[in-house]
């Protein structure tokens, strides 16, 4: 049975995961700065580019999820008691859209992972093109981290969505 505690667990998990993502973003940004300014070789500077760009995106996503999780948690728990129909009209469609976004992101991340592997393998033995090998290595690292993190988030989201749908069915709304 899907309960208010289960909904709270989902949003608390999202909040914790977003803090982890923020930490990864911070590490990636610091590593990018160190690699670019202190290790002045083409491979390191190449790695720095995707670490910085994707790290900034990770930071924005992490902060966004973190900042809205408490509001969403309270809102959903309130609606479970006083307005379960709003779960059907707003939260279920929102989560269905989120689940579609996870599918799209999975394909994008796999594409970046494969591009990273290709760039690294193809250019790593070419001294004049080590910057591209670095780009590939940085993409490989960041795409792998994002793919893993989104995989966990997608599983949490699927459990939450199925729980919502079960709650609505048992409440007679669906």
């Amino acid at each position: 049975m899907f309960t208010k505690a289960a909904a709270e667990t989902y949003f608390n998990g999202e909040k914790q995961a977003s803090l982890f993502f923020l930490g990864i973003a911070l590490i990636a940004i610091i590593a990018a700065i160190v690699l670019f300014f202190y290790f002045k070789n083409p491979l390191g500077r190449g790695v720095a580019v995707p670490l910085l760009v994707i790290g900034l995106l990770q930071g924005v996503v992490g902060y966004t999820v973190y900042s809205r999780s408490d509001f969403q948690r309270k809102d959903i728990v309130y609606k479970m008691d006083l307005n379960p129909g709003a779960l059907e009209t707003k939260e279920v469609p929102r989560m269905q859209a989120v689940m579609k976004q996870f599918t799209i992101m999975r394909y994008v991340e796999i594409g970046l992972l494969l591009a990273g592997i290709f760039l690294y393998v193809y250019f790593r033995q070419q001294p004049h093109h080590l910057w591209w090998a670095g780009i590939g290595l940085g993409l490989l690292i960041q795409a792998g981290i994002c793919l893993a993190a989104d995989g966990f988030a997608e599983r949490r989201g699927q459990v939450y969505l199925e729980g919502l749908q079960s709650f609505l069915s048992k409440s007679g709304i669906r």
Side-chain angles (χ1 to χ4, degrees):
M1 172 95 184
F2 188 75
T3 63
K4 291 186 280 187
E8 288 187 2
T9 298
Y10 168 73
F11 285 106
N12 287 332
E14 286 294 290
K15 191 172 181 178
Q16 289 173 351
S18 67
L19 281 176
F20 174 76
F21 219 50
L22 278 168
I24 293 296
L26 184 61
I27 290 167
I29 292 166
I30 291 169
I33 291 167
V34 168
L35 285 168
F36 194 82
F37 290 109
Y38 295 104
F39 294 95
K40 296 182 180 194
N41 65 51
L43 183 70
R45 285 188 169 189
V47 171
V49 173
L51 287 183
L52 179 64
V53 171
I54 297 172
L56 290 170
L57 291 172
Q58 288 167 329
V60 169
V61 169
Y63 177 76
T64 301
V65 172
Y66 181 82
S67 65
R68 71 176 181 214
S69 291
D70 284 334
F71 172 78
Q72 287 177 311
R73 177 181 50 81
K74 292 172 189 172
D75 185 52
I76 296 306
V77 169
Y78 171 82
K79 287 176 180 169
M80 287 177 79
D81 275 339
L82 300 175
N83 191 6
L87 297 175
E88 174 72 23
T89 60
K90 293 187 178 164
E91 185 64 2
V92 169
R94 182 189 78 81
M95 281 307 297
Q96 288 169 335
V98 166
M99 298 310 291
K100 286 180 186 176
Q101 288 173 348
F102 278 130
T103 301
I104 293 166
M105 288 306 301
R106 184 179 334 111
Y107 289 121
V108 168
E109 290 159 355
I110 289 170
L112 291 173
L113 189 74
L114 293 173
I117 291 169
F118 171 78
L119 288 170
Y120 180 72
V121 170
Y122 186 77
F123 290 112
R124 70 188 163 128
Q125 299 296 330
Q126 300 178 31
H128 298 303
H129 293 66
L130 286 179
W131 188 79
W132 285 106
I135 293 282
L137 186 56
L139 278 177
L140 179 65
I141 291 166
Q142 285 289 54
I145 290 169
C146 290
L147 189 60
D150 284 348
F152 288 117
E154 184 176 13
R155 282 190 281 284
R156 269 194 317 276
Q158 188 62 43
V159 169
Y160 172 67
L161 178 58
E162 289 170 2
L164 275 176
Q165 292 167 329
S166 168
F167 173 81
L168 291 170
S169 292
K170 291 179 181 170
S171 299
I173 293 173
R174 278 194 144 200

